[in-house]
Amino acid sequence: QVHLVESGGGLVQAGGSLRLSCAASGRSFSDYTMGWFRQASGKEREFVGRISRYGGSIYYADSVKGRFTISRDNAKNTVYLQMDSLKPEDTAVYYCAADRENRGTNVVAAYDYWGQGTQVTVSS
């Protein structure tokens, strides 16, 4: 099992940047594909991006491609989400999640462990 804790959320103006972190504890961090998801108020949770166990494969949702960057540091048991050129529509609670089966999927239900989320608010 792995315990995930996100940090780095906050309020930022449109066009600004934020960097989210997700610290993991428990089993070996490199055993997991890590995903980032977000959920805006009144909407379903949606895929943002994912990174494979050693960072060799990274995928993004079309809505964030070219603006967001996912990375991981297995020595620090941490995955990051660098968000640039933020837009008001990026406002949401952001979650990191771990896939212990390394399915390589964007599906919410496929991820086994979740953090508590961190709020990102982008003002216009």
Side-chain angles (χ1 to χ4, degrees), residues 6-77:
E6 302 95 337
S7 61
L11 173 64
V12 63
Q13 288 188 333
S17 298
L18 280 175
R19 188 195 197 202
L20 306 185
S21 299
C22 172
S25 60
R27 277 192 57 188
S28 178
F29 182 64
S30 61
D31 285 349
Y32 301 91
T33 291
M34 297 300 297
W36 283 98
F37 294 79
R38 66 186 182 186
Q39 188 166 17
S41 181
K43 295 187 177 181
E44 293 187 352
R45 194 167 299 188
E46 66 173 7
F47 172 78
V48 172
R50 70 174 189 269
I51 184 167
S52 60
R53 294 171 62 193
Y54 296 99
S57 296
I58 305 174
Y59 296 92
Y60 299 97
D62 288 343
S63 58
V64 306
K65 201 172 295 182
R67 300 187 298 122
F68 289 11
T69 304
I70 297 174
S71 61
R72 68 189 295 164
D73 185 339
N74 287 345
K76 295 182 178 180
N77 289 352

Side-chain angles (χ1 to χ4, degrees), residues 75-104:
K76 295 182 178 180
N77 289 352
T78 302
V79 61
Y80 304 97
L81 179 65
Q82 177 67 42
M83 305 186 293
D84 299 317
S85 302
L86 282 161
K87 305 175 181 180
E89 51 263 44
D90 294 318
T91 295
V93 177
Y94 282 71
Y95 300 88
C96 66
D99 172 10
R100 65 187 175 191
E101 301 297 332
N102 298 291
R103 301 171 181 89

